[in-house]
Amino acid sequence: SGTPSPSLTPNTTRQEWQPLRGIAYGALPCIDTTCGGQGLPSHDLVQVGYEEQWGAAGRNDLEVMSKIGANAVRLYHSLGLDSDKDHGAFLDHAASVGLDVMPGFHSDHAKDAAVCPDFDCFEAWKAAALKGFGLGFRQGDAWHPAVSTLILLNEPDHFEYASQCEPQGAWCRVKAALSALDGILAAEEEAGVAPGRVSLTITWSFAMRTSIDGTVSDPGTFGFQDIAVGVEDPAIANYTPRMGQDALKRAYNERWIHGFNTQSPWDFVNEIVSKVYAQFYPIPWFIGEYG
C-alpha cells in the first residue's frame, strides 16, 4: 500500500533465501561490569582470543548453536575496534558447523566526532573493512565464504539524540548509514574484493519514528524508507557519495536487506511491516534481535 518511493530493479542475482534461524552472540566472559577489577574485555568476540568460548577446543558455542537448529550467528563489534588478532579461525569454524556469519561494525564510532566527523563515517568504515580483510575476513579475492551479511550499524536512529547531532534530526542517522555503506563499497573496490553473496544491512530499533522524508511513521519501517530515499537522494542527509550515487543504488538493489530489532509480538510486527512493504519489495527484510 502507499505510493512506491524510489523504483526498484528486481535482481535475479540475489541468493535463494532460506529461513533465517540466527542467534545474536554477545557472550562476554564476565557478568560483572568490573570483570574482577580488570574492566570489561573487548566486545569483539570473533577474534581468536575468545576461541575457548566458541571453538572446538573449548565450550564450542558455535557448534552448540548449530545443534539446536541455528543456521546463522549475528555479531556486533567484529569490525572497527582495535583488535589485530586473527578472525579467520572463527569464520572457518562457523563454516565447518554450518553457520552463516553476520558480522557487525562497531556502531558507537559513529557518535565520535573524531572518527565520524559530522556523522560522515566513510573513512572509518572503509578503514575497518580494509583492516578486516587482513585479519581473516578475506579469502582470495572475495569475502570469507562464511560471511553472509554485513551489519553496518545497529540502531543508528538513536544518533539523533547525540550532542553532536545539531540540528537534531534524522539526517544524522541517515548520513551515518549512507557514508558507512559508501565506505564499504570503497574498501571492496580498493582491495579487489568481490561482493559475492555478501548482503548489507542496518538493524534499526523498533521505536516509533518518522522517516527522513516524513512519509513513513511506524516503528522499524521508518528505517526502511530512510535507506530507500537516501540512496535515491543522498543530499536529503547532506551527503555526497564518494563512490557515486549509482554505486549506492546498485548496492541497494542488489545487496540490501532491511532489518530491525524488536521485542514486540509477531502479529503486531507483521501488521506494521505488511502495511508498507509493497513499496520496498523486492528488498527482503529480517529481524536482527527478537526478545
Side-chain angles (χ1 to χ4, degrees):
S1 59
T3 303
S5 285
S7 59
L8 304 178
T9 303
N11 175 46
T12 57
T13 65
R14 281 187 182 267
Q15 61 182 298
E16 290 295 322
W17 296 103
Q18 302 296 327
L20 176 64
R21 301 183 302 275
I23 291 177
Y25 189 52
L28 290 176
C30 299
I31 58 174
D32 180 357
T33 56
T34 63
C35 199
Q38 301 301 312
L40 283 176
S42 173
H43 285 71
D44 177 8
L45 293 176
V46 179
Q47 60 185 313
V48 74
Y50 285 114
E51 191 171 13
E52 288 294 319
Q53 291 188 190
W54 48 255
R59 197 169 64 193
N60 211 355
D61 291 352
L62 293 178
E63 186 173 54
V64 171
M65 294 179 202
S66 179
K67 285 183 174 179
I68 63 176
N71 60 13
V73 55
R74 183 242 168 116
L75 299 118
Y76 294 85
H77 309 277
S78 318
L79 295 146
L81 289 180
D82 294 328
S83 173
D84 292 315
K85 306 300 183 183
D86 174 70
H87 289 55
F90 181 101
L91 300 173
D92 289 344
H93 189 46
S96 75
V97 298
L99 291 178
D100 280 343
V101 179
M102 306 172 74
F105 284 75
H106 183 61
S107 299
D108 286 349
H109 277 334
K111 297 181 290 183
D112 185 341
V115 180
C116 292
D118 203 28
F119 291 93
D120 185 343
C121 294
F122 174 85
E123 295 293 348
W125 261 241
K126 177 184 175 182
L130 289 172
K131 184 173 183 178
F133 292 149
L135 296 176
F137 281 99
R138 175 180 185 157
Q139 193 168 99
D141 61 356
W143 287 89
H144 189 289
V147 177
S148 66
T149 306
L150 299 177
I151 301 175
L152 275 57
L153 292 162
N154 186 54
E155 301 191 1
D157 42 298
H158 296 302
F159 294 170
E160 62 193 81
Y161 302 116
S163 59
Q164 63 268 40
C165 185
E166 292 292 341
Q168 187 181 61
W171 72 270
C172 303
R173 70 187 188 226
V174 180
K175 185 175 182 180
L178 296 176
S179 58
L181 169 60
D182 202 16
I184 300 308
L185 300 180
E188 290 178 336
E189 180 177 87
E190 180 174 314
V193 171
R197 71 175 185 126
V198 176
S199 298
L200 305 166
T201 192
I202 286 171
T203 46
W204 304 93
S205 83
F206 208 60
M208 181 65 75
R209 306 202 193 285
T210 298
S211 60
I212 192 171
D213 64 351
T215 63
V216 176
S217 295
D218 282 310
T221 54
F222 69 87
F224 296 10
Q225 180 66 4
D226 278 351
I227 297 299
V229 74
V231 299
E232 195 73 15
D233 180 19
I236 199 172
N238 305 315
Y239 186 64
T240 301
R242 276 75 146 194
M243 295 294 289
Q245 184 184 356
D246 287 346
L248 296 190
K249 292 171 69 173
R250 185 166 55 252
Y252 178 76
N253 280 315
E254 297 180 0
R255 302 175 65 186
W256 196 259
I257 307 174
H258 292 301
F260 56 75
N261 305 323
T262 185
Q263 298 180 11
S264 298
W266 167 248
D267 287 347
F268 177 67
V269 172
N270 190 38
E271 177 185 351
I272 290 295
V273 176
S274 295
K275 71 179 183 179
V276 297
Y277 192 61
Q279 70 191 65
F280 303 114
Y281 183 81
I283 306 298
W285 68 279
F286 80 112
I287 296 174
E289 295 174 7
Y290 202 20

